[in-house]
Amino acid sequence: MNIHEYQAKEILSAFGIPVPRGRVALTSDQVERAAKEMGGRCVVKAQIYAGGRGKGGGVKLVHHPEQAQELAKELFGRKLVTPQTGPEGLRVRRILVEEAVEIAREFYLSITLDRESSRYCLIASAEGGVEIEEVAQKSPEKIHVLSIDPFTGLRPYQARKIALALGLKGSVCEDCVELILNLYRACLEKDCFLVEINPLVVTKTGWLMAMDAKINFDDNAMFRHREYPDMLDYSQLDTLEINAGKYDLSYIKLQGNIGCMVNGAGLAMATLDVLHEFGGEPANFLDVGGGATREKVAEAFKIILQDGDVKGVFVNIFGGIMRCDVIAQGIIEAAGEVHCTLPIVVRMDGSKVEEGKQLLLESGLNVQIGENLGDGAERIVKMLG
Ligand code: ADP
Ligand code: MG
């Protein structure tokens, strides 16, 4: 789960990491007032669930409160496109107004879960800032990586080694050691998948500060943090994804015209591949998971139909834990409720499969049964052709 920069900075600050003075604003008038409070000269930062804002015009230094207000009006009025958002861009609903800091040097610092080693991994570079992706690609030797042993945790000597590798000396080096240890503590206590400070800066007056912050919570630990869902900014999510999330379904939007309902990520991948083989293009796929109920299947089906690109639906379900007649009932219920006349192909297998097929064929829906995955894919492509 993502949160905004200003929320991430609040968390880091609570763990003793210095951040610039700032205020989050929801309207351009609030931006103006916040800019006044910062002394006029300040940095206006669009809050979206993506980075690369500097390059996309979402982070700008302004010199007067009026200038901040003008810029805010422009940002609130449109979707911000950055190298990380895709061509659609993301709508700006919140703006962080921050004191303008005189920066001497920019570093990169992050801790993330490395799935391969099942450990937290600390990544640091003396060449931080907006070009970090290029540094990683062109000069990987400038990126320092440390795999953290979960039993010993991050030790101060390891943090010091990183601080020295960044070229820091004296008291700034010691500040950096403390900051790295605090970052690790925040990462553990908040169950993060990623905490990233890019750039971590040394100011012209010689202080360390987190100038940007990104936190991604580990969704698996959500049950331990009841406050996390309240931190979500729904304006940054696809509405269908939000609905799917409510029913614990995973929905992924794609570019074609066939809506796909599957159970399990592996089956989803196979379904997309086989559809492609027969010349079909998936509009989305919705994974209903293992033990879905009739209600859940019905919701899933309705979410798929809400996608305007969907011209036909392909259901590919292996009823191991799920019973096929239950799936069929869910589909019939949902299709009836939204008066669906679109072509539907259902391929299912598992317990009570004959009962399921029977129910569907007697339902009056525009439905065909796929005998196997290939046959089902071919049918839906033909029905749309
Ligand atoms: P993004 O990573 O999305 O481009 P950042 O928050 O990192 O956004 O901002 C981009 C750049 O703007 C930073 O690398 C830094 O150089 C500069 N910057 C950001 N915030 C401030 C600030 N408060 N004062 C001065 N410069 C800033
Ligand atoms: Mg940044």
Side-chain angles (χ1 to χ4, degrees):
M1 181 193 136
N2 265 316
I3 55 171
H4 283 303
E5 173 196 3
Y6 78 90
Q7 295 165 317
K9 278 178 167 165
E10 278 169 16
I11 291 177
L12 294 187
S13 177
F15 280 85
I17 294 175
V19 300
R21 203 156 52 88
R23 209 178 258 289
V24 68
L26 303 173
T27 66
S28 48
D29 288 343
Q30 286 179 353
V31 168
E32 188 205 12
R33 260 186 285 144
K36 262 189 200 138
E37 200 180 324
M38 299 302 147
R41 202 175 107 83
C42 59
V43 178
V44 171
K45 308 184 80 176
Q47 300 293 290
I48 55 171
Y49 280 0
R53 296 164 303 161
K55 286 187 172 170
V59 176
K60 280 193 179 151
L61 176 73
V62 298
H63 298 276
H64 322 282
E66 298 78 45
Q67 199 188 349
Q69 189 180 29
E70 281 311 306
L71 177 59
K73 274 186 190 154
E74 198 188 298
L75 285 169
F76 279 136
R78 65 179 169 98
K79 284 190 170 178
L80 182 63
V81 178
T82 83
Q84 292 182 18
T85 57
E88 295 252 303
L90 282 169
R91 201 162 287 292
V92 182
R93 297 266 193 226
R94 306 176 194 187
I95 287 179
L96 174 63
V97 181
E98 240 176 29
E99 65 173 307
V101 175
E102 303 279 348
I103 298 171
R105 291 183 63 189
E106 298 198 338
F107 304 91
Y108 175 92
L109 180 65
S110 73
I111 300 177
T112 186
L113 259 183
D114 174 20
R115 298 225 183 266
E116 220 161 277
S117 59
S118 308
R119 287 177 173 199
Y120 273 122
C121 192
L122 188 142
I123 303 170
S125 175
E127 308 224 355
V130 295
E131 303 295 347
I132 188 69
E133 281 86 7
E134 208 181 311
V135 177
Q137 222 172 32
K138 292 199 176 143
S139 17
E141 75 283 355
K142 290 183 177 160
I143 311 261
H144 309 279
V145 180
L146 173 79
S147 178
I148 301 169
D149 186 322
F151 293 107
T152 56
L154 182 65
R155 310 309 306 159
Y157 81 90
Q158 293 174 309
R160 189 163 295 107
K161 219 165 129 183
I162 293 286
L164 290 169
L166 294 179
L168 297 173
K169 294 186 183 75
S171 67
V172 187
C173 180
E174 281 317 301
D175 287 350
C176 186
V177 171
E178 195 186 324
L179 186 146
I180 291 173
L181 293 171
N182 284 338
L183 189 68
Y184 180 61
R185 212 159 47 81
C187 188
L188 280 184
E189 281 181 33
K190 295 290 176 185
D191 283 312
C192 299
F193 176 71
L194 167 78
V195 284
E196 182 187 75
I197 305 179
N198 185 35
L200 169 70
V201 309
V202 176
T203 66
K204 287 208 171 135
T205 44
W207 300 102
L208 265 183
M209 229 182 218
M211 208 50 52
D212 187 9
K214 178 174 172 168
I215 286 186
N216 208 306
F217 295 128
D218 182 349
D219 291 346
N220 298 309
M222 208 75 102
F223 70 98
R224 279 205 287 245
H225 305 275
R226 292 299 160 98
E227 74 281 15
Y228 286 175
D230 291 337
M231 296 175 81
L232 258 182
D233 176 359
Y234 287 97
S235 76
Q236 303 295 302
L237 306 177
D238 182 307
T239 38
L240 294 181
E241 274 173 36
I242 296 169
N243 278 335
K246 274 192 215 151
Y247 292 93
D248 205 17
L249 306 160
S250 342
Y251 168 88
I252 307 288
K253 176 73 187 128
L254 299 165
Q255 308 302 326
N257 61 0
I258 303 173
C260 301
M261 183 158 99
V262 293
N263 62 334
L267 197 60
M269 295 302 127
T271 305
L272 302 191
D273 284 349
V274 176
L275 265 181
H276 268 290
E277 215 159 285
F278 286 96
E281 286 293 334
N284 56 43
F285 76 79
L286 209 152
D287 179 358
V288 291
T293 59
R294 196 175 86 198
E295 290 77 12
K296 221 167 155 180
V297 170
E299 278 315 316
F301 204 76
K302 279 190 250 172
I303 289 168
I304 288 179
L305 291 178
Q306 273 171 46
D307 178 347
D309 295 336
V310 169
K311 299 289 178 269
V313 183
F314 184 28
V315 179
N316 183 21
I317 289 205
F318 184 80
I321 302 172
M322 294 166 93
R323 270 172 38 192
C324 292
D325 57 336
V326 172
I327 298 162
Q329 276 167 355
I331 294 171
I332 295 165
E333 204 173 281
E337 201 175 307
V338 296
H339 309 294
C340 170
T341 52
L342 296 178
I344 303 167
V345 171
V346 179
R347 181 261 168 164
M348 49 190 188
D349 229 329
S351 57
K352 302 255 180 193
V353 64
E354 290 312 323
E355 288 88 336
K357 285 181 183 172
Q358 198 61 32
L359 283 170
L360 284 167
L361 291 175
E362 288 166 359
S363 66
L365 293 171
N366 182 10
V367 65
Q368 290 189 13
I369 305 290
E371 284 314 315
N372 51 49
L373 179 48
D375 179 56
E378 197 173 358
R379 277 173 194 271
I380 189 68
V381 172
K382 274 207 186 121
M383 281 173 97
L384 289 176

